Amino acid sequence: MRHQKLSRRSFLRWSAGVLGASLLAACVGSEASEPTPPSGGGTQPTTAPGGTQAPAVITGVTLRVVGTGVTLIEPIRQQAEKDLGIKLEYDVKDGPSAQQKAATQPQSWDLYDQWFNSVKIVWASGNATGIDINRIKDWDKISPLPKEGKLTPNAKEGDGDAPYRILYVQPDNTLGSNPTERISMLPLTFNVDSFGYHSEMVDKEDATSWAILFNPKYKGKIGLYSDPSTGLMDLALGAQAAGLATFKNIGNMTRDEIDTIMRILIEKKKEGQFRAFWNSFDESVNLMASGEVVVESMWSPAVTALQVRGVPVVYASPKEGYRGWYGGMMLNKNASGKTLDACYEYLNWWLNGWAGAVVARQGYYFSIPENVKAHLPQADWDYWYEGKPAAEDLKDPFGEIVAKKGSVRDGGSLETRVSNIAVWNSVMDEHQYLVTKWNEFLAS
Amino acid sequence: MSSYSLPEAVPAASSRRLSGNAVWALLLSLPLLWLLVFLIVPVLVVLIVSFFQPTLSGFERAFTLDNYRALLSSGPFFSTLLNTLLSALITTVVTFLVGFWVAYYLALVVPNLRTRFALFIIALAPFFTSFLIRAVAWIPMMGREGVLNSALLSLGITSQPLDFLLFSNFAVRVAMAQLYLLFMISPIFFSLSTIEPAVLEAARDMGARWWSILWEILLPLARPGIVIGAVFVFVLSMGDFATVRLIGGGASTSVGLSIQNFVTYMQFPQAAAAASILVLVTVLGVVLLLRWGAIGEEL
């Protein structure tokens, strides 16, 4: 490539020569989009200067993890600190903000705890490095879903960025499915998403298909997620199910296909089909709770949160399949010495299943189910993983009751749900084109 | 910054080692430096980045006009720009129509100076809370199951909740008018306060009606305050994205919101290009406002 590839940060470093270092510091500090001004030095304060021998329990290291509230939760942080003897700083953001920080402020994090649909972007920023699977003790125990694409032989693989397609670092430093010893992101938590619906306002029959998003019966009562790499998937599945459009590969559309779906979406938006777009988990809960929408693309814990509040919301199991996502952690390329050792300790700790058991009680699955089973009471395991009726009232990690005795998880067992993935959250080849068009859709 | 430098400047002046001009130069250098660092340099950086080639996670330092070409050839971007402009104009007019009378009452009707300022502070009270909280507060007010809709339904005025009250251009404009009202009231209040009561008395003695006093004395004399207020409100509402996102809920739009989306998806050059266009249009609007204000003074 002729032109040097630049992140915003390296651009600023470049401009420092022109503008003077003091001006630079000032203008970085004045940017409103940047939530925390980075330290000026650019060195990692937590990195020990010499590469000393790694002790069994690592002390005096602070790991900075940037990510989302899905997995960066207090009980996990406390337990990891206790078990590992390190200090953990969780920087909790929404998905896009976490991704932005990972891609533009490499000095501010050691591990990036997010989702596979941001792997391509963070990898392209050059701030991450491959994780050596030889240092991951339980690597062989990780289920075939993220490594090979399927949990069971006759499951659907799903279009788009299935984790295994962008898991392995290839010799030319690109990402692919050909197994190597270095991986882009360690696969940890995952789930399959659909939409929630208000069971008193919506016909059960209508809720069996993504087509409901375009059903005129619910005009003006549809809520959507405003992120293109997930929100568009839902809408594309809906448009296809409603017979408005067809896609060769719904997870990697061509420009023509993007134009087609955007034309349909803008037309429907102008007709008033969609009520609101949410950006944060809380917003999605509030939209449904306040009656603004009756059908909404949402995450599983949002449905649980509404059920706890007494709103009769059901998480749909659409016949076209779910939209899958996989979470995990990426490693900063600047991590070295004790910090690097601590990163691997933390990754290995995550795989032992204790944290997986915590997030299981929020409805998320884990890449090594057997390790979770060891840390999860039988009743919780049966409800969340096996799809069996709850033997007793079940609580979430924070002590709130999330499942009443006798209730059954929407969609059934792990195997049933994960075997029906239509598409994964994805960054398409035409991502930049899509972003421009998506912005027009939001603005229309 | 200035609080650190002032104590040095003051003794220097009193010791008469520096001439008056040097003191002024020193004092003025601070705001100039401030403007340079926090206004001119960032604007230049934005302008430079707007000509760079975007990539998946940043940009390449390669000159291109594509960012502008894409925006200017995009119908939705133009309608966004027009909608932003329209919202800003409506907000400015509404805040003027409401704000002028509030300022009029405070400055000319309330007789006692102490009461006047007490009322002025009370008028400001809502603005002691954060901007976002004031914006969010409109949601339970105007929502489908909100206060306003419940009242309308129970009074039998409507049989269905009115959807346009929230997540619409209407809702955004109402919220913006409330949020920015302060910036219209204050300058008008101060310019009305400077009017000599004797002038009004003289006009009344000469037989001028209330209407002609308003039209021939108050409005012309308040014009600087009105223009300043209008500039504040116009500029603020042109750049608004938080209100549009929260109260618009996706059904309303602004250039500011487009910029924020571009930044979220890490397409910084497009964000910079949209920002440059927005700044240009806003500056044009301000120039027109100021020119109108100046013509007023000549009359």
Side-chain angles (χ1 to χ4, degrees), chain A residues 1 4 6 11 14 23 26 96 121 125 220-221 226 228 269 275-277 279 290 292 432 435-436 439-440 443, chain B residues 37 52 54 57 59-61 74 76 80 143-145 163 166 245 249-250 253 258 261-262 264-267 270:
Chain A
M1 198 177 295
Q4 190 195 346
L6 281 177
F11 162 71
W14 161 80
L23 293 186
I121 289 172
S125 76
K221 288 169 183 167
S226 71
K269 191 179 172 200
R275 175 67 172 157
F277 293 79
N279 289 270
S290 64
E292 297 297 336
Q432 285 170 262
V435 163
T436 311
N439 211 358
E440 289 182 0
Chain B
V37 170
F52 283 169
S57 61
F59 45 77
E60 280 171 23
R61 213 195 311 157
S74 146
T80 302
R144 201 172 262 166
E145 292 173 6
D163 279 350
L166 186 63
R245 195 173 95 40
T253 173
S258 292
N261 287 335
F262 276 130
T264 307
Y265 311 139
M266 300 206 295
Q267 300 299 302
Q270 278 115 313

Side-chain angles (χ1 to χ4, degrees), chain B residues 194-216:
Chain B
T194 57
I195 297 174
E196 279 285 332
V199 175
L200 301 178
E201 229 165 273
R204 266 193 291 272
D205 289 350
M206 307 288 277
R209 300 272 183 93
W210 177 82
W211 177 251
S212 18
I213 293 178
L214 176 72
W215 194 249
E216 288 170 35

Side-chain angles (χ1 to χ4, degrees), chain A residues 156-227:
Chain A
K156 247 195 245 177
E157 220 173 62
D159 283 345
D161 290 345
Y164 85 101
R165 296 193 181 114
I166 49 174
L167 181 64
Y168 298 101
V169 181
Q170 304 300 308
D172 61 355
N173 217 35
T174 58
L175 303 176
S177 58
N178 179 34
T180 62
E181 297 200 326
R182 288 167 70 233
I183 53 169
S184 57
M185 181 181 251
L186 181 68
L188 295 171
T189 46
F190 67 101
N191 203 356
V192 291
D193 285 351
S194 62
F195 52 88
Y197 63 94
H198 197 291
S199 59
E200 286 166 11
M201 320 275 241
V202 173
D203 250 327
K204 220 174 159 189
E205 277 305 297
D206 298 331
T208 57
S209 164
W210 284 101
I212 195 169
L213 298 180
F214 295 92
N215 191 332
K217 234 160 109 185
Y218 308 107
K219 185 172 158 181
K221 288 169 183 167
I222 308 276
L224 299 168
Y225 185 27
S226 71
D227 181 65

Side-chain angles (χ1 to χ4, degrees), chain A residues 98-403:
Chain A
Q99 169 178 287
Q100 198 183 328
K101 188 155 189 181
T104 59
Q105 298 176 46
Q107 302 94 329
S108 67
W109 55 277
D110 302 308
L111 285 167
Y112 170 59
D113 183 337
Q114 226 243 29
W115 311 310
F116 265 88
N117 51 303
S118 79
V119 163
K120 278 182 183 168
I121 289 172
V122 176
W123 191 259
S125 76
N127 296 341
T129 189
I131 294 170
D132 182 358
I133 58 171
N134 299 315
R135 294 187 70 174
I136 303 295
K137 273 179 244 141
D138 282 345
W139 173 253
D140 293 332
K141 284 165 84 179
I142 291 178
S143 90
L145 178 66
K147 294 202 285 202
E148 289 149 34
K150 291 179 185 181
L151 197 60
T152 52
N154 46 3
K156 247 195 245 177
E157 220 173 62
D159 283 345
D161 290 345
Y164 85 101
R165 296 193 181 114
I166 49 174
L167 181 64
Y168 298 101
V169 181
Q170 304 300 308
D172 61 355
N173 217 35
T174 58
L175 303 176
S177 58
N178 179 34
T180 62
E181 297 200 326
R182 288 167 70 233
I183 53 169
S184 57
M185 181 181 251
L186 181 68
L188 295 171
T189 46
F190 67 101
N191 203 356
V192 291
D193 285 351
S194 62
F195 52 88
Y197 63 94
H198 197 291
S199 59
E200 286 166 11
M201 320 275 241
V202 173
D203 250 327
K204 220 174 159 189
E205 277 305 297
D206 298 331
T208 57
S209 164
W210 284 101
I212 195 169
L213 298 180
F214 295 92
N215 191 332
K217 234 160 109 185
Y218 308 107
K219 185 172 158 181
K221 288 169 183 167
I222 308 276
L224 299 168
Y225 185 27
S226 71
D227 181 65
S229 66
T230 48
L232 177 71
M233 303 299 168
D234 296 346
L235 289 163
L237 285 169
Q240 191 156 276
L244 299 168
T246 50
F247 304 96
K248 249 205 207 115
N249 181 344
I250 213 161
N252 197 9
M253 300 180 192
T254 62
R255 277 194 183 214
D256 282 346
E257 286 173 333
I258 292 173
D259 286 342
T260 309
I261 180 82
M262 287 303 167
R263 215 169 26 244
I264 297 167
L265 292 181
I266 289 175
E267 191 189 306
K268 292 289 170 191
K269 191 179 172 200
K270 288 204 166 128
E271 285 171 14
Q273 179 72 12
F274 315 122
R275 175 67 172 157
F277 293 79
W278 56 269
N279 289 270
S280 71
F281 178 86
D282 292 335
E283 260 181 297
S284 74
V285 173
N286 289 337
L287 279 175
M288 182 73 85
S290 64
E292 297 297 336
V293 303
V294 297
V295 177
E296 185 179 18
S297 158
M298 61 206 303
W299 301 339
S300 145
V303 175
T304 316
L306 284 160
Q307 288 166 347
V308 171
R309 285 162 71 164
V311 186
V313 176
V314 178
Y315 209 30
S317 312
K319 55 178 184 239
E320 297 85 13
Y322 295 96
R323 177 174 49 70
W325 61 266
Y326 222 112
M329 280 188 239
M330 291 177 89
L331 180 63
N332 194 309
K333 68 156 191 257
N334 295 321
S336 62
K338 264 173 123 180
T339 306
L340 185 63
D341 293 339
C343 286
Y344 276 105
E345 287 295 320
Y346 182 63
L347 292 176
N348 280 314
W349 178 85
W350 248 93
L351 282 177
N352 81 26
W354 192 93
V358 173
V359 295
R361 283 182 272 130
Q362 289 189 299
Y364 301 129
Y365 300 119
F366 192 63
S367 53
I368 311 181
E370 67 218 65
N371 285 5
V372 166
K373 202 174 178 185
H375 291 95
L376 205 60
Q378 190 64 35
D380 293 79
W381 172 266
D382 286 346
Y383 177 82
W384 294 111
Y385 273 79
E386 303 287 349
K388 291 179 188 161
E392 56 192 54
D393 284 358
L394 300 177
K395 289 179 176 162
D396 74 1
F398 309 101
E400 298 274 352
I401 292 176
V402 284

Side-chain angles (χ1 to χ4, degrees), chain A residues 404-426:
Chain A
K404 289 261 162 60
K405 187 178 172 177
S407 61
V408 182
R409 181 170 193 172
D410 300 325
S413 70
L414 164 69
E415 215 167 279
T416 327
R417 297 180 82 228
V418 169
S419 301
N420 192 17
I421 296 174
V423 62
W424 293 86
N425 288 352
S426 301

Side-chain angles (χ1 to χ4, degrees), chain B residues 129-139 179 241-243 246-247:
Chain B
T129 54
S130 115
F131 175 89
L132 278 178
I133 290 175
R134 276 181 291 138
V136 169
W138 282 100
I139 294 174
L179 289 169
F241 69 93
T243 316
L246 287 166
I247 308 297

Side-chain angles (χ1 to χ4, degrees), chain B residues 176-200:
Chain B
M176 282 211 274
Q178 189 261 332
L179 289 169
Y180 299 138
L181 186 58
L182 157 81
F183 299 98
M184 187 63 92
I185 295 178
S186 315
I188 301 181
F189 169 70
F190 287 117
S191 55
L192 285 178
S193 299
T194 57
I195 297 174
E196 279 285 332
V199 175
L200 301 178

